Amino acid sequence: MLLLLLACTPPSEESVPSPFWDQGAPLRGSGYPGRVFTEAELWQSCATLDGGADDAMQHNLQLPYRGHLVLPWAPEAGGGGLALYDMADPCAPERVGSTYSQDARETHAMGFIHLPESDPHAGDWAVGNAKIYGGIESGILIWDLSDPTAPQVASAFALPEAWYPDSYTRVVLSVFWQYPWIYVASADNGVFVVDATDPRNPVLVNQVVSGIRAGGVFALGNELLVTTAEQSHAALYDISDPANPTMLPGSPFPSPDRNGTPLETYHGNRVGDMALFARKEGGGGPILVDISDPALPVFVGDVVHSGNGGYVFWDEDVVFVGESDHASFWDAADPANMTLIGTGLLAGDLDTNTPWGNVALLSVDHAEGQSPDVENSVATAVMPWRAEPDRSGPRVLSTNPKDGSGGWYKAMRVGVGFNEFVEPASAYPGSLRLMNAAGEGVPGWVATQETIVTYTPKKPLSAGSYTMEVEGVTDIHGNPMEELYRFSFEVQ
């Protein structure tokens, strides 16, 4: 019950009441109340996750949604599904529901939106990758999670010139849902912009090709970070006009080592104003770049480590990297001088190391044509890496717009970047409150993806001053923000 209350924290008495604030969506799973591990239990797998009998045992990441763990499972070639787990005891996970879809494909990112009953498209929605059944077309797959015991495909949407079996040149590699807009990284196709106002009927509105191989997309408010797949550069885009991304001055910028040499990276991420890269060239380890000034990205720190980088995540000053043959954990409290905390092992192509409090979820993505019968067909293992559970709430690292900034486009969105994954049920119009200069609430939608929460006004803003208040947002374990966070900006 405690987690349910935290996920629906009402507006502060300091804020002006508004008919647009709601109570959010209650948790449906138990979340993860916490478990203390002994030193002997650390760095050893204590449980496994899978999608059921049809699972080909090729996994990537896991994410929270309304108190459950969401596990997409599918190989590159397509045909897979989505499972939801209750993680009350991380070493005894309970699968709540699982569904197979012939259109599912290996998924590296998922965005979530809850639309209340008052919305014409009410429901619980998630977006991932698709390979359209019966052909080689690649695209996006939108899931209806309204019934966690039986997730359903809402739409499988093919994108032009996107296809598999080409693994890196044309295929869809990643997505970011800044409702209603979905940004799709499709390698040499660039970035597609899809209007998914109606999740059952998405519409392609634009394609931006800029000469970099788009591997990851991460939207913080009006700024889009595009990281590359097996290249040595990334780029930042202005998306204040959401349908028309425009590359910002200073991009593309390199993912360099400490000597300034651009290095090939496999994938990337964003936390606050930091771009994260998983080093692929000359060994593994993370590379961190400060992008607070998009015109002048600045190298912060790197580590040369054994392995071959896959995917990278951040959780409360710890960097989690899949290194192909092991998982690495880095203390980044001082990001310029990262130190190794430990490593984890799981047989197979261990590309993904996902944080989940004091356990990590190690996932292997087997090469095409390789038998999935590895370590008794284990594709995701639960591994304690720290004795104490997470007891600190999420902390705001960055916002877009910045506090005190001005000149923003009227179709803008407001982004809040936290220092860890947040529980999507705790982020809604009420825990995020956008108000005009008169203190009147601005109706909007709230979407969540990993560490980033987006508030999208339902109509273009008028010129003037606006204030955003954020409070009551929790991490995936029910720990709330410690205090209200407020910032203001001007729209031209």
Side-chain angles (χ1 to χ4, degrees):
M1 182 61 68
L2 175 62
L3 289 177
L4 174 61
L5 293 174
L6 290 175
C8 298
T9 304
S12 165
E13 293 181 0
E14 297 180 47
S15 65
V16 178
S18 168
F20 304 122
W21 309 151
D22 62 38
Q23 293 301 307
L27 298 183
R28 301 184 297 198
S30 59
Y32 175 22
R35 172 174 168 174
V36 177
F37 295 98
T38 67
E39 290 298 318
E41 291 175 308
L42 301 184
W43 311 107
Q44 306 294 322
S45 298
C46 69
T48 63
L49 305 176
D50 66 73
D54 295 320
D55 192 345
M57 296 300 160
Q58 299 188 38
H59 295 179
N60 284 100
L61 83 164
Q62 302 78 29
L63 294 166
Y65 190 70
R66 294 186 65 178
H68 288 132
L69 176 148
V70 178
L71 166 69
W73 46 275
E76 281 190 328
L82 196 73
L84 286 86
Y85 272 86
D86 192 298
M87 297 291 285
D89 180 350
C91 292
E94 178 185 350
R95 191 168 67 229
V96 175
S98 185
T99 299
Y100 177 85
S101 170
Q102 58 192 7
D103 295 314
R105 183 190 177 273
E106 177 181 300
T107 290
H108 310 113
M110 296 193 81
F112 299 89
I113 178 74
H114 169 79
L115 299 176
E117 291 184 4
S118 58
D119 194 283
H121 308 298
D124 295 275
W125 311 99
V127 63
N129 294 0
K131 176 186 173 291
I132 310 303
Y133 179 72
I136 61 172
E137 295 172 297
S138 183
I140 59 173
L141 194 65
I142 299 180
W143 291 88
D144 181 350
L145 305 183
S146 299
D147 179 358
T149 67
Q152 301 295 319
V153 171
S155 55
F157 185 63
L159 291 165
E161 300 302 315
W163 67 76
Y164 183 87
D166 189 320
S167 298
Y168 294 103
T169 305
R170 295 287 181 181
V171 76
V172 168
L173 292 171
S174 191
V175 297
F176 196 99
W177 202 349
Q178 196 183 55
Y179 188 85
W181 309 99
I182 298 175
Y183 295 96
V184 184
S186 183
D188 294 346
N189 291 319
V191 176
F192 291 102
V193 185
V194 176
D195 182 346
T197 302
D198 179 357
R200 297 189 182 278
N201 295 286
V203 177
L204 177 63
V205 296
N206 201 357
Q207 179 182 2
V208 180
V209 180
S210 58
I212 65 172
R213 177 170 288 175
V217 278
F218 310 92
L220 180 65
N222 308 285
E223 189 174 271
L224 184 73
L225 170 66
V226 180
T227 63
T228 55
E230 300 190 321
Q231 291 184 342
S232 59
H233 286 73
L236 289 163
Y237 289 79
D238 178 356
I239 53 171
S240 54
D241 178 357
N244 296 289
T246 303
M247 189 178 289
L248 288 164
S251 288
F253 63 91
S255 46
D257 65 8
R258 64 189 63 196
N259 298 316
T261 304
L263 293 181
E264 184 177 298
T265 61
Y266 189 81
H267 209 263
N269 211 320
R270 177 174 187 155
V271 59
D273 283 330
M274 192 88 74
L276 318 178
F277 300 95
R279 179 189 192 124
K280 185 176 185 295
E281 182 180 349
I287 297 173
L288 309 182
V289 176
D290 182 345
I291 55 173
S292 55
D293 180 355
L296 189 64
V298 177
F299 170 82
V300 174
D302 74 334
V303 179
V304 181
H305 184 62
S306 63
N308 187 342
Y311 299 90
V312 57
F313 300 96
W314 179 286
D315 181 86
E316 294 188 335
D317 293 337
V318 178
V319 182
F320 294 67
V321 187
E323 302 279 17
S324 297
D325 59 358
H326 69 282
S328 62
F329 301 72
W330 300 91
D331 182 344
D334 178 359
N337 296 285
M338 291 177 281
T339 57
L340 184 66
I341 299 171
T343 59
L345 298 175
L346 180 64
D349 185 11
L350 207 175
D351 275 348
T352 311
N353 177 16
T354 308
W356 201 266
N358 60 339
V359 302
L361 306 167
L362 311 185
S363 297
V364 295
D365 170 18
H366 300 291
E368 190 66 22
Q370 179 178 328
S371 169
D373 188 20
V374 176
E375 200 175 288
N376 298 318
S377 296
V378 174
T380 294
V382 180
M383 187 194 74
W385 67 276
R386 187 178 64 196
E388 294 295 322
D390 180 5
R391 295 190 175 96
S392 59
R395 178 168 53 89
V396 175
L397 295 181
S398 181
T399 65
N400 185 289
K402 300 287 188 188
D403 185 34
S405 63
W408 290 101
Y409 191 74
K410 295 177 181 179
M412 60 168 293
R413 280 84 60 233
V414 183
V416 182
F418 291 90
N419 68 332
E420 60 178 320
F421 287 5
V422 300
E423 166 52 64
S426 70
Y428 56 91
S431 61
L432 280 81
R433 304 184 288 275
L434 181 62
M435 295 171 287
N436 63 20
E440 300 166 329
V442 176
W445 300 287
V446 176
T448 306
Q449 186 157 330
E450 297 182 17
T451 65
I452 297 175
V453 179
T454 303
Y455 194 101
T456 302
K458 292 185 177 180
K459 295 181 179 179
L461 300 177
S462 300
S465 299
Y466 291 85
T467 296
M468 170 65 80
E469 294 182 339
V470 187
E471 70 173 335
V473 175
T474 77
D475 62 19
I476 63 180
H477 315 301
N479 301 308
M481 298 172 61
E482 293 184 359
E483 58 186 8
L484 180 146
Y485 191 95
R486 182 186 286 114
F487 59 101
S488 300
F489 56 90
E490 296 279 338
V491 173
Q492 64 186 11

